[in-house]
Amino acid sequence: MPKVFGDNMVLQRGQPIPVWGEARPGTLVTVVLGTVRATAQAGKDGKWMLRFPTFTAGGPYTLKIAESGTRNTGIELKGVLIGDVWVASGQSNMEWQVQQSQDARKEIDNAGSPAIRFLVVEQDKQLKPRSDIRGGQWKVCDTSNVKNFSAVAYYFARKIHGDQHVPLGIIQSTWGGTPVEAWTSRDMLLTSPISRARTLSNDTLRLDPEDLIADSLNWIRTWDIIYHPQNNTDQIIPAPEYNDEGWTAIAMPNVIKDFGIGNYEGMVWLRKKISLPGSFAGKDLTVNLGHPEMNYSLYFNGQEVCKNVWNANPTHAFTIPAGLVRGGENTIAVRVAMLWGGGGLNPPAEDIYITDGATTVSLAGKWLYKNGLETAFPKILNYQYYPTVLFNGMINPLIPYGIKGFLWYQGEANAEAAYDYRTLFPMLIKDWRQRWGQGSLPFLYVQLANFRKVQPLPSESDWAELREAQALALSLPNTGMACTIDIGEGNDIHPKNKQEVGRRLALLANEMVYKQPVMASGPQYKSFQKEGNRIRLHFTHTGTGLSTKDGKEVTGFAIAGKDKLFHWAKAIIEGSEVIVYADEVSEPEAVRYAWADNPLCNLVNSAHLPAIPFRTDEWKGITQP
């Protein structure tokens, strides 16, 4: 049997249930689900498939598979439930685990939902479509298992289970940092000139499985370097007496893109001499690194204070034992991974400090840094970014498992070519629907959250253009988009509030799929009309009317004339409409809302769901070829 089948799995209710596998060619295979029996004959290639009639929600059942003419006792899968199955896929924000989300300890301790089951598909990249996943087992949602599940998918499943009272199965197939092309089939990618050439280039690579294995092993070696200091550096560099003459000065907080060392990937050491009041001596102190990027280790006067692995401590505050503290000069050192263009300490400066609870000493200002002190990261080709390789290894083997629909959170990796996403994203949706053969399956997805620095003036943004491309996909039937423009974090591409993301996806499912009378979307721009020096905007999905999330004046709107120069605008709410104007623009031509990487915006509907970012113009953007 393929690994998508197993103990504790959930099978899709309300439609014929496909079951398939392999046996000796020509033999009769008998499958029993509960008390219902079905048979199929294995073909010349040994493959067989059958479909059970529809079941209603319930269980547990046992699924028994037996092959005629053999002494083999067959296969028996226990604890099978009938309910709704959703495929949850995308890059790191869908992969982000419950243990990495906000209130993680509380969420894990309170997780006891035996009717929620997860199959986490083992990551795999393949040049040709595979018939089986590399690995993965169905697991019951409990306090020991839930921590490793997709947070977004879990919070979605928890709400749907609570609202619909049916078992929920999540097939999680995710890989961080990957573009949409990697998740799309070769046949579909070849239909567009945007993706055709790159996809065909895969054919000329002639990669052997050993190449893929070597790349995976290089990743293992990279993480070994990140987790374990090389060349005895942790015994030498953190010491107060270490000679750091010749190191480069850098004003902290700061991140790698501002270090001046280019596209560097590897370990970087940071050092700083700090003077502490005499009253600090002999006390436990608290050190706070604010908002660091990537994995790091912190040392104080030569001793390791912490090792932070993927936000194991989301507060980034640690205790410095009293025995290490001296009055006067002390040395702090940080060993940080620089990876994927990230790494360092993010602003604001007031969030990095040492304190005894009464007095605070800032850690902002001059630091020294040095790269190249440790073993270099091995060269990694990241084949998981290549077109179609994740579809081949992590999606194709799931087809035609019966499902209710798809959950999708991806787009960050395509932001630099956001205009192309207008084509590529709908291609993926159509591709998966066609291959599952269940019609226009519900496709619910998350629009990118606010991220990066807040810009003081209206400006262009590739993230805004990516969000626009995502919104345009709503023109496809049976699609729904959860807007998260109000719950991101400017200094973290992985915002912690995954509970609200899952809830908003569940609202869409409750409205679209389960036909409940709920408000599932924030205000959506419909049309506009000019009124002298003002523009009146019309919206749908307003409920009983528009308002602001914080009760203050409306923010987030910009307006421009024929010169295409945008100015921050004043906005007045009138029921389900907004009137926008600016003193600098006497003859307005276009309005934009929340059009930025990290916009300050607050327009909501009566359900307190955020307005979807939009623009009324079609002027050429920064990612349009």
Side-chain angles (χ1 to χ4, degrees):
M1 294 290 291
K3 299 181 187 68
V4 70
F5 296 99
D7 294 335
N8 302 315
M9 65 182 170
V10 180
L11 297 174
Q12 180 59 45
R13 63 172 173 151
Q15 63 187 43
I17 299 172
V19 180
W20 69 94
E22 294 185 10
R24 289 181 303 146
T27 58
L28 185 68
V29 177
T30 301
V31 186
V32 179
L33 177 58
T35 59
V36 180
R37 180 185 302 268
T39 60
Q41 188 171 26
K44 293 181 179 179
D45 57 1
K47 296 179 180 180
W48 58 269
M49 174 176 284
L50 55 81
R51 294 181 186 269
F52 281 99
T54 60
F55 277 63
T56 58
Y61 296 100
T62 298
L63 183 72
K64 299 178 181 179
I65 306 99
E67 183 182 13
S68 64
T70 177
R71 296 181 180 180
N72 192 326
T73 57
I75 297 172
E76 192 171 290
L77 304 178
K78 300 178 179 179
V80 178
L81 298 181
I82 308 295
D84 286 342
V85 181
W86 291 82
V87 172
S89 188
Q91 57 182 108
S92 57
N93 268 307
M94 183 62 86
E95 187 175 3
W96 217 241
Q97 299 172 344
V98 171
Q99 63 184 336
Q100 297 167 308
S101 65
Q102 71 178 14
D103 300 324
R105 186 70 268 161
K106 177 182 176 182
E107 295 287 9
I108 293 170
D109 290 343
N110 293 332
S113 303
I116 297 176
R117 312 286 176 84
F118 266 71
L119 169 64
V120 180
V121 175
E122 187 175 323
Q123 292 180 337
D124 187 21
K125 44 190 181 289
Q126 296 290 337
L127 294 175
K128 302 292 182 182
R130 306 285 288 187
S131 61
D132 199 3
I133 58 176
R134 181 187 295 272
Q137 293 181 327
W138 283 94
K139 293 185 178 181
V140 176
C141 180
D142 56 29
T143 55
S144 62
N145 292 327
V146 71
K147 64 182 180 181
N148 297 317
F149 296 162
S150 159
V152 168
Y154 167 66
Y155 298 129
F156 167 87
R158 183 175 68 181
K159 179 163 177 56
I160 294 299
H161 173 59
D163 293 344
Q164 304 302 326
H165 309 292
V166 297
L168 257 291
I170 299 290
I171 300 177
Q172 177 185 334
S173 186
T174 55
W175 195 316
T178 51
V180 68
E181 299 95 315
W183 296 99
T184 310
S185 75
R186 182 179 188 275
D187 290 344
M188 181 59 76
L189 291 175
L190 291 179
T191 65
S192 170
I194 293 173
S195 51
R196 181 177 176 82
R198 179 79 195 282
T199 304
L200 289 173
S201 71
N202 273 16
D203 298 345
T204 64
L205 290 176
R206 303 189 184 282
L207 296 176
D208 294 322
E210 288 76 12
D211 296 309
L212 302 178
I213 294 171
D215 214 45
S216 296
L217 292 175
N218 282 338
W219 263 118
I220 293 172
R221 175 57 179 151
T222 295
W223 287 112
D224 181 62
I225 294 170
I226 291 172
Y227 294 149
H228 305 107
Q230 308 290 300
N231 310 330
N232 208 33
T233 50
D234 61 324
Q235 302 299 313
I236 302 170
I237 294 175
E241 61 274 14
Y242 177 80
N243 181 8
D244 53 24
E245 184 178 352
W247 284 34
T248 304
I250 186 77
M252 299 298 287
N254 222 320
V255 290
I256 186 173
K257 63 179 180 291
D258 299 321
F259 272 41
I261 56 177
N263 189 26
Y264 177 77
E265 290 197 339
M267 302 308 299
V268 172
W269 279 90
L270 301 161
R271 280 173 56 91
K272 182 177 180 64
K273 298 286 187 182
I274 54 173
S275 181
L276 299 180
S279 59
F280 277 27
K283 291 183 180 179
D284 285 346
L285 303 180
T286 297
V287 57
N288 196 316
L289 291 184
H291 310 281
E293 287 183 0
M294 301 301 166
N295 301 65
Y296 63 88
S297 297
L298 173 67
Y299 302 82
F300 192 82
N301 286 333
Q303 299 298 310
E304 184 179 279
V305 172
C306 77
K307 185 188 296 287
N308 191 274
V309 178
W310 283 117
N311 294 327
N313 180 350
T315 68
H316 303 287
F318 306 92
T319 299
I320 301 174
L324 297 179
V325 182
R326 311 167 186 166
E329 186 177 87
N330 292 259
T331 301
I332 187 169
V334 178
R335 177 183 183 265
V336 61
M338 301 294 194
L339 194 62
W340 301 311
L345 305 181
N346 281 290
E350 57 265 27
D351 286 354
I352 55 173
Y353 58 83
I354 292 178
T355 182
D356 67 349
T359 303
T360 297
V361 176
S362 174
L363 293 177
K366 179 183 176 181
W367 286 61
L368 299 175
Y369 81 87
K370 184 77 170 176
N371 58 299
L373 294 170
E374 300 191 43
T375 303
F377 289 170
K379 183 175 177 59
I380 298 173
L381 298 179
N382 289 315
Y383 293 117
Q384 71 271 17
Y385 299 164
Y386 282 53
T388 206
V389 294
L390 301 186
F391 172 86
N392 292 337
M394 300 176 65
I395 297 298
N396 191 72
L398 307 177
I399 302 169
Y401 197 91
I403 62 174
K404 191 71 170 179
F406 303 103
L407 306 175
W408 177 257
Y409 194 162
Q410 188 275 340
E412 298 92 338
N414 287 89
E416 292 185 358
Y419 191 83
D420 289 344
Y421 203 77
R422 294 179 173 205
T423 300
L424 295 173
F425 184 36
M427 283 169 57
L428 175 130
I429 297 173
K430 296 173 184 176
D431 188 28
W432 288 12
R433 285 174 168 175
Q434 290 172 6
R435 290 179 177 277
W436 250 273
Q438 291 183 219
S440 294
L441 280 167
F443 199 103
L444 312 180
Y445 58 96
V446 181
Q447 190 181 44
L448 294 190
N450 48 307
F451 174 59
R452 298 174 176 165
K453 293 180 181 179
V454 174
Q455 298 298 324
L457 297 174
S459 58
E460 299 295 336
S461 162
D462 56 357
W463 273 55
E465 293 181 20
L466 195 286
R467 294 188 194 105
E468 180 180 53
Q470 291 176 313
L472 289 171
L474 290 172
S475 62
L476 294 178
N478 223 14
T479 55
M481 183 180 74
C483 176
T484 60
I485 198 64
D486 59 331
I487 53 175
E489 299 176 28
N491 53 26
D492 195 342
I493 200 171
H494 304 118
K496 305 297 187 297
N497 187 3
K498 296 294 192 273
Q499 289 90 337
E500 182 62 11
V501 181
R503 188 186 79 89
R504 291 179 187 179
L505 284 172
L507 287 175
L508 291 167
N510 278 333
E511 181 188 53
M512 293 173 46
V513 181
Y514 300 108
K515 308 305 179 183
Q516 290 187 345
V518 298
M519 178 68 70
S521 171
Q524 188 170 2
Y525 165 72
K526 179 182 179 182
S527 62
F528 79 95
Q529 64 192 65
K530 297 180 184 179
E531 297 179 350
N533 66 341
R534 302 185 174 200
I535 286 183
R536 182 182 293 270
L537 301 162
H538 306 275
F539 293 86
T540 60
H541 305 291
T542 58
T544 57
L546 299 171
S547 63
T548 58
K549 184 176 182 178
D550 52 11
K552 300 179 181 179
E553 292 184 353
V554 184
T555 60
F557 283 94
I559 193 167
K562 293 181 179 180
D563 59 4
K564 301 183 181 180
L565 295 178
F566 280 89
H567 302 268
W568 292 129
K570 298 177 183 178
I572 301 172
I573 295 173
E574 289 190 356
S576 296
E577 300 174 341
V578 177
I579 300 172
V580 181
Y581 65 97
D583 295 338
E584 299 91 340
V585 182
S586 58
E587 297 183 13
E589 289 290 326
V591 170
R592 293 179 176 181
Y593 174 75
W595 193 266
D597 296 337
N598 188 5
L600 299 178
C601 52
N602 61 358
L603 187 66
V604 297
N605 61 15
S606 57
H608 303 288
L609 292 172
I612 296 171
F614 70 92
R615 59 174 177 160
T616 64
D617 65 273
E618 295 182 356
W619 298 335
K620 185 175 180 180
I622 57 176
T623 67
Q624 183 175 346

